[in-house]
Amino acid sequence: MAMVSMQFSLPNLNSQSLKWRRVNRNSFRCPSMAIASGNASTSGVRVTEGEGNLPKVVLSSPNGSEAEIYLYGGCITSWKVPSGKDLLFVRPDAVFNKKKPISGGLPHCFPQFGPGQIQQHGFARNMDWSILDSKDVDGNPAVTLELKDGPYSRAMWDFGFQALYKVILNSKSITTELIITNTDNKPFSFSSALHSYFRASVTGASVRGLKGCKTLNKDPDPTNPLEGKEERDVVTFPGFVDCVYLGAPDEVHLDNGLGDVITIRNTNWSDAVLWNPYLQMEACYKDFVCVENAKIGNVQLEPEQSWTATQHISIGP
């Protein structure tokens, strides 16, 4: 099923005029992707050195919120609201050496979600994204990252593509837009997800909004998911959880068990995934849950066609 769209819909941002201010992409170029520090022309957007000397983009809103995005994997690793609380989680076993994807935050799964013909969750989280531009949305910082095919991706998935990932930071929300474009002369298909890690108390965490969805439950056998239907109004994490929700609604609510209710809205992410590894990761399973927006079924794109999905994560009224 092909979904073709180039429209960028920002939930609950209708009052904004969306006046973008473009910055020359060359101002972000860094030799060999290694930089000590840098400043973008857009207010609230700067490039600096992160863990493992990897470059990262820091977005800072006038209201005190902040986000960090590593160019390796195009991964948002931190989203702090004005109180200083970080609502995302990076696992203690995460490495920042390009030998494996960054484990935590909002990693990309593209062009494959889960296991399949190529490596687990695809290659987008294993590649360096570049900064295309930075923009200003009524005083709120935004940045656009870009990923294109290269020898690494072509070796396992021989197609030309462009992925654009826009991130907009507001005082109590962070919005992302992913645009996949077929730049090849032949069609291709893909699946995708944002493998979102949220900081949580696993014994108190719960998700509302999934009742009635068809489920593919990977507990107890990940290779042979059990089909079912979600009957619960409130889904909890009593132990190992790895469940796909097909035809998920465009809005769910996560109570992280730490005093925060997080609203997750989306357009075109047709499915959802809940995951907690439980005793498989004794060092940290109590401290996070994954509530993921996903496109489990394949998207078919003809040459020059695009597919767009947005995610809007917010907290409070």
Side-chain angles (χ1 to χ4, degrees), residues 7-136:
Q7 297 300 313
F8 183 18
S9 174
L10 299 180
N12 278 0
L13 297 180
N14 293 332
S15 63
Q16 297 181 343
S17 62
L18 302 184
K19 295 180 179 177
W20 302 98
R21 183 154 56 89
R22 180 174 294 273
V23 176
N24 190 314
R25 61 184 296 172
N26 293 327
S27 64
F28 296 100
R29 292 296 185 186
C30 308
S32 302
M33 298 297 291
I35 55 173
S37 63
N39 290 292
S41 299
T42 300
S43 176
V45 181
R46 62 188 176 93
V47 183
T48 187
E49 193 174 85
E51 296 286 334
N53 299 322
L54 297 181
K56 67 179 179 181
V57 182
V58 179
L59 304 181
S60 303
S61 83
N63 298 298
S65 59
E66 185 176 276
E68 297 183 356
I69 313 163
Y70 276 79
L71 297 186
Y72 178 66
C75 185
I76 302 174
T77 56
S78 176
W79 169 42
K80 294 178 181 178
V81 291
S83 67
K85 181 182 290 188
D86 198 334
L87 299 179
L88 300 183
F89 181 81
V90 174
R91 285 167 22 192
D93 62 343
V95 295
F96 294 80
N97 58 12
K98 294 190 178 184
K99 293 183 178 180
K100 59 183 295 187
I102 297 172
S103 299
L106 303 180
H108 290 279
C109 302
F110 172 83
Q112 176 180 287
F113 175 69
Q117 295 182 345
I118 63 175
Q119 65 189 23
Q120 174 87 358
H121 292 323
F123 49 70
R125 60 185 191 151
N126 296 78
M127 296 179 67
D128 286 318
W129 295 58
S130 61
I131 300 175
L132 185 63
D133 58 23
S134 70
K135 301 175 180 180
D136 187 277

Side-chain angles (χ1 to χ4, degrees), residues 22-314:
R22 180 174 294 273
V23 176
N24 190 314
R25 61 184 296 172
N26 293 327
S27 64
F28 296 100
R29 292 296 185 186
C30 308
S32 302
M33 298 297 291
I35 55 173
S37 63
N39 290 292
S41 299
T42 300
S43 176
V45 181
R46 62 188 176 93
V47 183
T48 187
E49 193 174 85
E51 296 286 334
N53 299 322
L54 297 181
K56 67 179 179 181
V57 182
V58 179
L59 304 181
S60 303
S61 83
N63 298 298
S65 59
E66 185 176 276
E68 297 183 356
I69 313 163
Y70 276 79
L71 297 186
Y72 178 66
C75 185
I76 302 174
T77 56
S78 176
W79 169 42
K80 294 178 181 178
V81 291
S83 67
K85 181 182 290 188
D86 198 334
L87 299 179
L88 300 183
F89 181 81
V90 174
R91 285 167 22 192
D93 62 343
V95 295
F96 294 80
N97 58 12
K98 294 190 178 184
K99 293 183 178 180
K100 59 183 295 187
I102 297 172
S103 299
L106 303 180
H108 290 279
C109 302
F110 172 83
Q112 176 180 287
F113 175 69
Q117 295 182 345
I118 63 175
Q119 65 189 23
Q120 174 87 358
H121 292 323
F123 49 70
R125 60 185 191 151
N126 296 78
M127 296 179 67
D128 286 318
W129 295 58
S130 61
I131 300 175
L132 185 63
D133 58 23
S134 70
K135 301 175 180 180
D136 187 277
V137 182
D138 287 351
N140 295 305
V143 69
T144 300
L145 305 186
E146 180 184 44
L147 181 68
K148 291 184 176 182
D149 56 284
Y152 178 75
S153 67
R154 286 275 189 170
M156 65 186 88
W157 196 67
D158 192 18
F159 296 101
F161 73 90
Q162 179 198 51
L164 296 179
Y165 190 52
K166 299 179 182 180
V167 182
I168 303 173
L169 180 68
N170 211 313
S171 59
K172 294 185 178 181
S173 69
I174 189 167
T175 299
T176 68
E177 178 196 49
L178 178 64
I179 304 174
I180 305 296
T181 301
N182 183 346
T183 61
D184 213 316
N185 58 7
K186 56 185 180 293
F188 63 66
S189 62
F190 67 92
S191 58
S192 186
L194 292 177
H195 199 324
S196 311
Y197 286 73
F198 290 97
R199 190 175 302 276
S201 170
V202 72
T203 56
S206 62
V207 178
R208 293 180 179 269
L210 294 170
K211 185 176 182 179
C213 291
K214 180 180 178 180
T215 58
L216 299 176
N217 193 347
K218 297 183 180 182
D219 179 27
D221 184 1
T223 62
N224 188 28
L226 297 175
E227 293 188 14
K229 182 179 179 181
E230 183 56 74
E231 303 289 352
R232 295 169 292 178
D233 289 312
V234 180
V235 181
T236 56
F237 298 81
F240 175 78
V241 173
D242 190 354
C243 190
V244 173
Y245 290 81
L246 299 176
D250 59 10
E251 181 175 320
V252 298
H253 300 272
L254 166 65
D255 185 331
N256 64 11
L258 300 172
D260 308 297
V261 176
I262 300 168
T263 299
I264 306 168
R265 298 189 188 91
N266 82 89
T267 60
N268 234 7
W269 290 112
S270 58
D271 312 299
V273 181
L274 300 189
W275 181 66
N276 180 270
Y278 197 53
L279 298 179
Q280 295 178 8
M281 294 183 185
E282 290 191 65
C284 62
Y285 80 91
K286 296 179 181 179
D287 300 321
F288 78 92
V289 297
C290 285
V291 183
E292 309 169 33
N293 285 132
K295 180 61 182 175
I296 302 300
N298 282 335
V299 177
Q300 178 84 13
L301 286 184
E302 297 296 324
E304 300 184 6
Q305 285 188 334
S306 297
W307 174 86
T308 300
T310 66
Q311 181 189 69
H312 181 78
I313 308 173
S314 63

